[in-house]
Amino acid sequence: MVSSHGTATIITFIKIRRTPITPHFLRHAYAIISAENGATLESISPSLGHSSYRTTARYLEKRLSRKNSASHTWKNSNIINSL
């Protein structure tokens, strides 16, 4: 269950985004957050319904290869921590 503070934080995040949050965005976010928290490629791939680990690897390569990717700050994110 998300706290009322967590809900407010999520709503703020949604309001300041310049692009819509799509199901595809959420799939990428799930893969990235899972990998950054220690999940293996082998466990993430079936969760996303991928038949090939290469597909999942592509999800992660694009984001994690960027040195300044915002996803690198998510471990300290109030949004993630409040969920």
Side-chain angles (χ1 to χ4, degrees), residues 5 7-9 15 23 29 32 34-36 40-41 43 47 52-53 58 60-61 73 76-78 80 83:
H5 172 72
T7 302
T9 304
K15 285 181 181 179
I32 292 165
S34 297
E36 288 182 351
T40 64
L41 188 62
S43 66
S47 299
S52 169
Y53 296 131
R58 274 188 251 132
L60 299 173
E61 284 172 3
T73 64
N76 300 319
S77 168
N78 289 333
I80 300 302
L83 296 178

Side-chain angles (χ1 to χ4, degrees), residues 26-41:
L26 295 174
R27 289 174 61 81
H28 278 268
Y30 173 84
I32 292 165
I33 293 167
S34 297
E36 288 182 351
N37 284 287
T40 64
L41 188 62

Side-chain angles (χ1 to χ4, degrees), residues 32-81:
I32 292 165
I33 293 167
S34 297
E36 288 182 351
N37 284 287
T40 64
L41 188 62
E42 292 79 11
S43 66
I44 298 169
S45 189
S47 299
L48 295 172
H50 294 157
S51 57
S52 169
Y53 296 131
R54 290 184 204 147
T55 306
T56 308
R58 274 188 251 132
Y59 269 55
L60 299 173
E61 284 172 3
K62 290 177 183 177
R63 291 284 190 198
L64 298 177
S65 66
R66 296 181 189 170
K67 229 200 268 186
N68 297 321
S69 173
S71 66
H72 294 295
T73 64
W74 289 6
K75 282 187 181 175
N76 300 319
S77 168
N78 289 333
I79 295 169
I80 300 302
N81 292 330

